[in-house]
Amino acid sequence: MTTDSRPADHDHDHDHDHDHDHETPDSATDRVHDTSWSANLELPRHAADRDLVVSEAAAAVEHTTAGHHVNLVTHGDHGHPKTYLYDALAERFDGLSYEYVEQCGCGGHVTRVFVE
């Protein structure tokens, strides 16, 4: 794996403007991010499979270095991430904290996960 310090293409650090492309392939976990970044988990394949959302969210956390955060952008079809994602991540990882950022205009949810 390599380390990347470039900002993510799907960054939700600023106001969400719904110009993101839901069909863009997600290759975010092909490298370790040594900066804060966003993981797009609201593609059509995510709508059909909540377990995939949880699995890829965990992979995104694993690919985030300590002292940074990853914005998990989850598909709206699964509802608020606190109902299924927060506990699943807490079971796998120590030292995480969460901040719910917003619900996107498209129905998805943005949760910022801080990696200690």
Side-chain angles (χ1 to χ4, degrees):
M1 276 188 237
T2 61
T3 301
D4 181 56
S5 59
R6 292 173 292 152
D9 292 332
H10 193 83
D11 192 356
H12 281 83
D13 284 338
H14 304 288
D15 292 333
H16 185 73
D17 62 7
H18 198 52
D19 288 338
H20 57 276
D21 180 0
H22 291 274
E23 300 304 320
T24 303
D26 184 16
S27 61
T29 56
D30 65 352
R31 64 190 177 274
V32 173
H33 296 260
D34 64 353
T35 186
S36 296
W37 65 290
S38 295
N40 182 1
L41 307 175
E42 59 179 351
L43 299 171
R45 70 177 186 258
H46 297 107
D49 190 347
R50 182 184 280 186
D51 290 338
L52 178 64
V53 173
V54 172
S55 172
E56 290 189 7
V61 170
E62 290 171 346
H63 285 81
T64 304
T65 59
H68 296 97
H69 71 263
V70 57
N71 292 321
L72 301 176
V73 186
T74 55
H75 204 284
D77 283 4
H78 302 298
H80 197 290
K82 72 179 175 183
T83 64
Y84 67 94
L85 185 59
Y86 297 3
D87 287 344
L89 292 176
E91 289 175 12
R92 284 185 76 166
F93 302 101
D94 292 324
L96 298 182
S97 59
Y98 309 90
E99 175 187 350
Y100 182 76
V101 177
E102 68 181 339
Q103 183 170 15
C104 308
C106 61
H109 297 271
V110 181
T111 299
R112 188 164 292 151
V113 179
F114 297 91
V115 179
E116 305 296 322

